[in-house]
Amino acid sequence: MDLPERIETGLQLALRLSTANGCPPLLAKGLRHAVFPGGARIRPRLCLAVATACGDRDPQAATAAAVGIELLHCASLVHDDMPCFDNAATRRGQTSVHTEFGEDIALLVGDGLIVAAFETVARETLHNPRLTAPLIATIAKAVGSPYGLVAGQAWESEPEIDITQYHRAKTASLFAGAVSAGALASGGSPQDWLTLADALGSAYQVADDLYDAIGLTGSMGKPVGQDGRNGKPNIAMSLGIPAVLKHLRTLVETAADSVPDCAGRDAFRAMIRNEATRLMPKTLSVSAA
Amino acid sequence: MDLPERIETGLQLALRLSTANGCPPLLAKGLRHAVFPGGARIRPRLCLAVATACGDRDPQAATAAAVGIELLHCASLVHDDMPCFDNAATRRGQTSVHTEFGEDIALLVGDGLIVAAFETVARETLHNPRLTAPLIATIAKAVGSPYGLVAGQAWESEPEIDITQYHRAKTASLFAGAVSAGALASGGSPQDWLTLADALGSAYQVADDLYDAIGLTGSMGKPVGQDGRNGKPNIAMSLGIPAVLKHLRTLVETAADSVPDCAGRDAFRAMIRNEATRLMPKTLSVSAA
């Protein structure tokens, strides 16, 4: 199986178990709506790419970590779209979960996905018990409080935001978690990959801000111009488009250059540059090439 | 340390880590508000009581499981109180989290507590890796979908509810999880304790319905008469008070009788009967004695 196939098969299994016979029907529909069809699955792909670069010594554990990370990302999108945050009616080109099923189901879908993420890692590492706790601790750190996704989201409710701390928690932390978990699952060293995670996470946040600022739906499939309306910090609005495009290119080069010495180093660097092209808004891609 | 002290110390540590330096201040306040001061901590006490009855072979793991279970219970209360569910302004005699900090923070507090629960179990079982996955899988099953707390809550959003399935998922599952985790942490057999968990979980649900129906705040410290107003199933309203009191006594006796052969069997049975007295609404306790 190639990487995307491992991810989709793993997600299908996790969802089949979470929506098994006896599950309240609306919850089951909401859970599937939140995960399928997916977006670019960039975080789990990154996780598996690092695991592969480190020798892919335990493919089952690496896939479980990748699936757990994607489930947590999906959970955060569902909760982030709710009226008390972005109040977004669409996501990935379809209705958001709360628009389709109501706020009550959306709240529970997010909760259920968080639980399913940790359940998946536990279930799929029973054969290799020494991996379970480190993988779960790494993933939990990336999404929880004080430095993960939950904290990142919470910075939006503060009267004063440190934009670096905010982006680090809201976006970079899950990239770091994906990379670290991929390395751990293959017996590699997470430390060797953290510069890459940090640069790539920042690049994604900057690209997201850029799409929002220039009014393109882009690959995220969500409404644009929300940051300005919601009073959220947006680096593209504060620095201006040309400076931000330059910043984005620097981040991508930093990420590519930081790939440590490993079997598939050149392929990995090519993948990152390729990913970066996909990141750039098409209308700006000539000037940003 | 006695059981309540182990639980409070464990909760304090989990919250200290989740609200460490760098945590967004409102999130940190919300997290603490959701967990302290606590309620009766019945689920973690049950977990530790079972672990003790099974020999308490790994106190650190048992305490972590108990703490994880209580954090998940607190998370469910925070989300359950939100406007899209019970819309409850108070909980445990103080303002509910969303009333005090807003819906955005309440949503994140619940998410953060779910993550912290699994993080705690992972961190505190690093010394005994064979426990991590079984404990996390057991706890996740109790709170997730399709048969745990999340599913129980989701039944409330369905046009038709099977009340047995609803109560089993919403209340009994976490009692089963607490008991199973306590047994697992001490190398005992979760199967031996499931009748007890089931009966005690049902007793709690029935008592909760009873308090709501007769209009007493009771030990739950939340607004009463909500089930009728919110159109939620309530066994006390459908069977009538006398029949429900009888049912409650039967459940408590079933729980006490089912305690398996273990070192502290008599003490355990006494604890259950004692707990039952605390459960009964005071104005009804004479007739229910």
Side-chain angles (χ1 to χ4, degrees):
Chain A
M1 274 198 273
D2 60 9
L3 304 193
E5 219 179 322
R6 279 167 67 177
I7 295 162
E8 294 308 313
T9 307
L11 288 169
Q12 295 278 5
L13 172 63
L15 268 284
R16 204 154 57 237
L17 294 171
S18 291
T19 62
N21 203 13
C23 182
L26 287 172
L27 178 66
K29 281 184 196 160
L31 286 164
R32 282 190 290 261
H33 191 91
V35 180
F36 304 109
R41 311 286 198 209
I42 175 68
R43 293 155 192 81
R45 282 198 290 130
L46 185 61
C47 174
L48 287 188
V50 173
T52 304
C54 293
D56 207 15
R57 290 194 216 165
D58 189 334
Q60 188 182 353
T63 302
V67 166
I69 284 161
E70 181 64 11
L71 293 175
L72 288 159
H73 174 61
C74 292
S76 84
L77 298 183
V78 173
H79 282 179
D80 202 13
D81 283 343
M82 286 179 68
C84 62
F85 290 111
D86 285 358
N87 197 17
T90 56
R91 167 68 68 179
R92 290 171 174 169
Q94 62 177 357
T95 48
S96 53
V97 176
H98 72 93
T99 308
E100 186 75 23
F101 300 99
E103 283 185 57
D104 47 353
I105 291 293
L107 184 51
L108 295 171
V109 162
D111 292 356
L113 292 175
I114 300 173
V115 175
F118 294 108
E119 197 169 16
T120 298
V121 176
R123 187 184 62 242
E124 303 291 330
T125 56
L126 272 168
H127 65 286
N128 194 349
R130 295 212 169 268
L131 275 184
T132 319
L135 278 180
I136 285 178
T138 297
I139 295 170
K141 185 181 165 201
V143 296
S145 181
Y147 310 122
L149 210 45
V150 163
Q153 187 71 18
W155 276 115
E156 293 179 13
S157 304
E158 291 291 331
E160 280 180 38
I161 308 182
D162 176 323
I163 198 164
T164 309
Q165 205 163 13
Y166 164 61
H167 282 171
R168 190 171 297 273
K170 181 143 188 209
T171 307
S173 67
L174 196 49
F175 279 84
V179 159
S180 300
L184 275 174
S186 289
S189 163
Q191 293 306 108
D192 296 347
W193 296 85
L194 288 186
T195 307
L196 180 142
D198 216 40
L200 215 54
S202 299
Y204 266 79
Q205 183 63 54
V206 169
D208 197 30
D209 282 9
L210 191 59
Y211 274 95
D212 193 89
I214 63 176
L216 280 175
T217 303
S219 63
M220 285 76 175
K222 63 175 193 177
V224 296
Q226 291 194 112
D227 294 343
R229 277 198 301 278
N230 298 336
K232 282 165 63 172
N234 183 309
I235 199 170
M237 289 194 224
S238 50
L239 290 187
I241 308 285
V244 161
L245 282 172
K246 194 177 163 204
H247 183 44
L248 195 50
R249 281 195 297 275
T250 308
L251 287 169
V252 170
E253 281 313 306
T254 305
D257 287 346
S258 76
V259 175
D261 205 12
C262 63
R265 186 166 192 246
D266 288 343
F268 206 114
R269 295 179 66 174
M271 185 196 98
I272 288 171
R273 292 213 175 82
N274 191 34
E275 200 59 51
T277 312
R278 207 190 56 80
L279 263 185
M280 296 284 180
K282 296 227 171 352
T283 51
L284 298 173
S285 59
V286 176
S287 58
Chain B
M1 274 198 273
D2 61 8
L3 305 193
E5 218 179 323
R6 280 167 67 177
I7 295 162
E8 295 308 313
T9 306
L11 288 170
Q12 295 278 5
L13 172 63
L15 268 284
R16 203 154 58 237
L17 293 171
S18 290
T19 62
N21 203 12
C23 182
L26 287 172
L27 178 66
K29 282 185 195 159
L31 286 164
R32 282 191 290 262
H33 190 90
V35 180
F36 304 110
R41 312 284 198 209
I42 176 68
R43 293 157 194 80
R45 281 199 289 129
L46 185 61
C47 174
L48 287 188
V50 173
T52 304
C54 293
D56 207 15
R57 290 195 216 164
D58 190 334
Q60 188 182 352
T63 301
V67 166
I69 284 162
E70 181 64 11
L71 293 174
L72 288 160
H73 174 60
C74 292
S76 84
L77 298 182
V78 173
H79 282 178
D80 203 12
D81 284 342
M82 286 178 69
C84 62
F85 290 112
D86 285 358
N87 197 17
T90 56
R91 166 69 69 178
R92 291 171 174 170
Q94 62 177 357
T95 48
S96 53
V97 175
H98 72 92
T99 309
E100 186 75 24
F101 300 99
E103 285 185 57
D104 48 351
I105 291 293
L107 185 51
L108 295 171
V109 162
D111 292 356
L113 291 175
I114 300 174
V115 175
F118 294 108
E119 197 169 17
T120 298
V121 176
R123 186 184 64 241
E124 303 292 330
T125 56
L126 272 168
H127 65 286
N128 194 349
R130 295 211 169 268
L131 275 184
T132 319
L135 278 180
I136 284 177
T138 297
I139 295 170
K141 186 182 164 200
V143 295
S145 181
Y147 309 123
L149 209 46
V150 163
Q153 186 71 17
W155 276 115
E156 292 178 15
S157 304
E158 291 291 330
E160 279 179 39
I161 309 181
D162 177 323
I163 197 165
T164 309
Q165 205 163 13
Y166 165 61
H167 282 171
R168 190 172 297 272
K170 182 144 190 209
T171 308
S173 67
L174 196 49
F175 278 84
V179 159
S180 300
L184 276 174
S186 288
S189 163
Q191 294 305 110
D192 297 347
W193 296 84
L194 288 186
T195 307
L196 180 142
D198 218 37
L200 215 54
S202 299
Y204 266 80
Q205 183 63 54
V206 169
D208 198 30
D209 281 9
L210 192 59
Y211 274 96
D212 193 88
I214 64 176
L216 280 175
T217 304
S219 62
M220 284 75 175
K222 63 176 193 177
V224 297
Q226 290 196 112
D227 294 342
R229 276 198 301 279
N230 297 336
K232 281 165 65 173
N234 183 309
I235 200 169
M237 287 194 223
S238 50
L239 291 187
I241 308 284
V244 161
L245 283 172
K246 195 177 162 204
H247 184 44
L248 196 49
R249 281 195 297 275
T250 308
L251 287 169
V252 170
E253 282 312 307
T254 304
D257 288 345
S258 76
V259 175
D261 206 12
C262 63
R265 187 166 192 246
D266 288 343
F268 206 113
R269 294 178 67 174
M271 184 195 100
I272 288 172
R273 293 212 174 82
N274 190 33
E275 200 59 51
T277 312
R278 207 189 57 80
L279 262 186
M280 296 284 179
K282 294 226 171 356
T283 50
L284 298 172
S285 60
V286 176
S287 59

